[in-house]
Amino acid sequence: MADPKSERRSPAIAAAIILVCAGLVIYFLPSIVLWIGNYSPMLAIVVGVCLLMAFFAVFWLRARYQRRRGL
């Protein structure tokens, strides 16, 4: 049986990792979009939207996974 303390800490660590990664992506998002915009403005829009939606998709998928596990 797993330690109850580590079971409580694991979701917090996972959420922190997700937030740090998302924060880095959002921090560099303007530079990425401007760089891609030099080649194609439409592609820059698509990439920007996809990167922003990925932030919400990760939490949505994580919530679905936890709901299936009964957490």
Side-chain angles (χ1 to χ4, degrees):
M1 187 168 223
D3 181 27
K5 192 179 250 185
S6 68
E7 287 181 7
R8 286 182 293 183
R9 198 177 317 154
S10 179
I13 291 171
I17 291 170
I18 292 168
L19 283 173
V20 167
C21 291
L24 287 172
V25 169
I26 291 171
Y27 179 78
F28 291 111
L29 184 63
S31 300
I32 294 168
V33 169
L34 288 173
W35 178 71
I36 294 172
N38 289 331
Y39 301 104
S40 170
M42 287 303 294
L43 182 60
I45 291 169
V46 170
V47 168
V49 168
C50 287
L51 288 174
L52 287 177
M53 294 304 293
F55 174 74
F56 296 104
V58 166
F59 282 108
W60 176 70
L61 289 171
R62 191 169 187 282
R64 282 189 55 177
Y65 173 75
Q66 286 184 340
R67 202 173 319 135
R68 283 187 186 162
R69 287 186 52 207
L71 294 177

